[in-house]
């Protein structure tokens, strides 16, 4: 067991479904569990919460051991200092927002400054003006923000979130997402977040775990994992990498913002933020083309020197090219014919033309 990390090892036998995971996760930041329905994401979360009791398992958070089957140790859920946010808000319909938040406070009533914490949480989540409302007078996004606040008010050691946006339409998802992005930064607790949406993972994850059929398919830093061409994600239409960048300057006359990343710079659509602000940039493989020579006249602003580090084909005539740009990985989808005409191979120095980027606020 290592201090500053989350150890999660569980084995469960459901007959046709064998669940067997062995993970060491970062003890901070947002870990996203990604995979299709039925792959074991929620099962893993329930094991962490103590809602499942696997006969073989170990779970510890930053030195606190909550389960160790070898030592016959298993803390029930009510003894685990955690917050759990479900797909549905599950608010008490007969209580106001404030009373819903206060419901669990008896567990931590002896802690000082609880009123200050309540104010800080409700302000952060934008629900401080909703405290007197009943749940049936809240939108779906508002209900989920109250549910998140209710989990945070318990001052948890870890926050577990099981597809909290799944029941919301796209507009409500965008309403809640900015609040999710600030949670870990403001409260400095590890978050384990379940989703089947690669877009949500790109927006939130610091660390990514891919699950399939009850097993870990891959895990690692978000950019490294999304950039692996040996994984199915790299061949999907929505294949993309996520880069961490820092705003360096603005060009208001062109509505552009310039950012630096580890090994280069990019020009992006205008961002309303000062220089020095960290920015996530998503680059889809379909928006990256490859040329052997630096183009002298092109409308594409972002042309980066790169080295090919991997190549693989799929069954639809597409070639996935893995590129190294500075210290980061980039993916490109080209036709198999283009790959052959350019004689693309590992180690070849090329230029990546990035036709579009997405800003992940």
């Amino acid at each position: 067991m290592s201090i500053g990390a989350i150890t999660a090892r569980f084995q469960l036998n459901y007959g046709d479904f064998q669940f067997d995971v062995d993970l060491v996760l970062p003890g901070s930041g947002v870990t996203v569990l990604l995979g299709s329905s039925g792959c074991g994401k929620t099962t893993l979360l329930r094991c962490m919460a103590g809602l499942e009791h696997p006969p073989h398992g170990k779970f510890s958070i930053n030195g606190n051991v909550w389960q160790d089957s070898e030592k016959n140790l298993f803390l029930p859920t009510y003894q685990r200092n955690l917050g759990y946010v479900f797909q549905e808000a599950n608010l008490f319909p007969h209580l106001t927002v404030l009373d819903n938040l206060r419901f669990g406070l008896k567990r931590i009533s002896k802690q000082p400054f609880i009123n200050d914490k309540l104010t800080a949480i409700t302000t952060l989540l934008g629900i401080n003006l909703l405290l007197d409302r009943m749940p049936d007078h809240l939108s779906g996004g508002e209900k989920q923000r109250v549910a998140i606040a209710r989990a945070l008010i318990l001052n948890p050691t870890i926050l577990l979130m099981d597809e909290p946006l799944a029941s919301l339409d796209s507009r409500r998802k965008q309403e809640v997402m900015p609040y999710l992005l600030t949670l870990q930064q403001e409260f400095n607790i590890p978050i384990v977040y379940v989703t089947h949406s690669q877009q949500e993972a790109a927006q939130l994850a610091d660390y990514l775990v891919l699950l399939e059929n009850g097993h870990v398919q891959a895990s690692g830093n978000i950019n490294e994992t999304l950039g692996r061409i040996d994984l199915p994600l790299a061949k999907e239409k929505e294949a993309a990498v996520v880069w961490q960048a820092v705003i360096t300057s603005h060009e208001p006359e062109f509505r552009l913002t310039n950012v630096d990343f580890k090994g280069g710079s990019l020009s992006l659509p205008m961002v309303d933020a000062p220089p020095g602000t960290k920015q996530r940039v998503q680059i889809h493989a379909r928006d990256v083309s490859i040329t052997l020579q630096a183009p002298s006249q092109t409308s594409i602003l972002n042309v980066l020197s790169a080295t090919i580090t991997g190549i693989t084909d799929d069954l639809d005539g597409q070639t996935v090219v893995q590129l190294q740009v500075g210290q980061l990985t980039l993916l490109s989808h080209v036709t198999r014919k283009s790959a052959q005409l350019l004689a693309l191979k590992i180690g070849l120095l090329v230029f990546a033309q990035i036709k579009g980027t997405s800003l992940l606020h």
Side-chain angles (χ1 to χ4, degrees):
M1 177 182 65
S2 59
I3 303 298
I6 299 171
T7 298
R9 293 199 292 267
F10 304 109
Q11 292 180 341
L12 280 167
N13 185 348
Y14 289 121
D16 292 339
F17 182 73
Q18 303 292 321
F19 182 76
D20 189 348
V21 302
D22 187 348
L23 288 164
V24 177
L25 307 173
S28 62
V30 180
T31 294
V32 169
L33 310 181
L34 179 66
S36 58
S37 298
C39 70
K41 305 184 299 297
T42 295
T43 298
L44 177 53
L45 213 65
R46 288 176 57 85
C47 287
M48 291 179 171
L51 297 172
E52 298 282 351
H53 189 170
H56 303 286
K58 184 172 184 178
F59 184 54
S60 65
I61 304 175
N62 298 331
N64 299 308
V65 183
W66 291 353
Q67 178 178 351
D68 190 340
S69 56
E70 293 183 357
K71 298 180 180 180
N72 198 29
L73 171 65
F74 180 84
L75 294 184
T77 302
Y78 72 90
Q79 292 183 353
R80 302 188 182 200
N81 185 28
L82 58 87
Y84 202 118
V85 181
F86 297 87
Q87 291 185 23
E88 300 293 337
N90 295 322
L91 303 179
F92 294 111
H94 63 290
L95 298 179
T96 66
V97 168
L98 181 58
D99 288 337
N100 266 278
L101 297 179
R102 285 175 172 167
F103 184 82
L105 289 182
K106 57 186 178 181
R107 291 174 52 186
I108 57 172
S109 59
K110 296 182 180 180
Q111 292 194 19
F113 313 120
I114 192 61
N115 288 333
D116 291 341
K117 185 175 181 65
L118 177 61
T119 299
I121 290 173
T122 56
T123 300
L124 174 70
L125 291 169
I127 60 172
N128 50 320
L129 299 180
L130 307 176
L131 299 181
D132 294 331
R133 288 196 195 176
M134 303 301 288
D136 60 355
H137 291 155
L138 301 175
S139 70
E142 289 169 342
K143 288 179 182 178
Q144 283 303 86
R145 283 187 277 149
V146 173
I148 295 168
R150 185 176 58 184
L152 289 173
I153 199 66
L154 299 177
N155 198 28
T157 301
I158 188 171
L159 182 62
L160 308 177
M161 309 186 78
D162 189 2
E163 300 201 65
L165 305 184
S167 63
L168 304 180
D169 58 33
S170 59
R171 181 178 178 182
R172 297 307 180 194
K173 286 181 180 180
Q174 293 310 309
E175 171 191 322
V176 177
M177 184 60 72
Y179 299 102
L180 295 179
L181 292 170
T182 62
L183 284 182
Q184 198 281 328
Q185 298 172 1
E186 293 292 331
F187 292 98
N188 195 32
I189 60 173
I191 298 172
V192 180
Y193 185 100
V194 164
T195 184
H196 63 271
S197 166
Q198 188 172 339
Q199 185 64 24
E200 284 182 33
Q203 288 182 274
L204 293 171
D206 300 305
Y207 194 88
L208 185 64
V209 177
L210 302 179
L211 290 170
E212 183 179 20
N213 295 325
H215 295 76
V216 176
Q217 190 177 35
S219 65
N221 170 279
I222 179 71
N223 176 258
E224 294 173 358
T225 306
L226 290 180
R228 284 179 52 178
I229 62 173
D230 61 322
L231 298 175
L233 286 179
K235 297 180 180 181
E236 293 182 1
K237 181 180 179 180
E238 297 300 317
V241 296
V242 175
W243 289 1
Q244 296 285 354
V246 178
I247 295 175
T248 55
S249 63
H250 300 288
E251 298 180 72
E253 67 274 25
F254 300 119
R255 301 296 298 167
L256 292 174
T257 291
N258 300 310
V259 300
D260 282 354
F261 61 90
K262 292 182 178 180
S265 60
L266 292 169
S267 292
L268 309 174
M270 191 76 172
V271 179
D272 185 15
T277 302
K278 293 182 179 180
Q279 178 71 57
R280 281 192 177 205
V281 181
Q282 184 180 47
I283 306 173
H284 284 90
R286 62 173 181 262
D287 290 331
V288 179
S289 62
I290 294 174
T291 178
L292 301 182
Q293 297 179 343
S296 58
Q297 294 179 325
T298 177
S299 63
I300 298 176
L301 293 177
N302 296 312
V303 180
L304 304 172
S305 59
T307 303
I308 295 178
T309 53
I311 300 178
T312 186
D313 290 332
D314 64 16
L315 299 177
D316 296 321
Q318 173 183 262
T319 295
V320 183
V321 183
Q322 182 188 61
L323 302 161
Q324 188 75 20
V325 180
Q327 299 180 39
L328 300 178
T329 301
L330 184 65
L331 294 178
S332 174
H333 284 177
V334 299
T335 64
R336 189 178 303 165
K337 181 176 182 179
S338 295
Q340 291 183 3
L341 290 175
L342 293 175
L344 300 183
K345 60 182 180 180
I346 293 176
L348 184 65
L349 299 178
V350 297
F351 292 89
Q353 301 183 113
I354 301 175
K355 293 175 282 187
T357 57
S358 299
L359 301 176
L360 301 176
H361 296 285

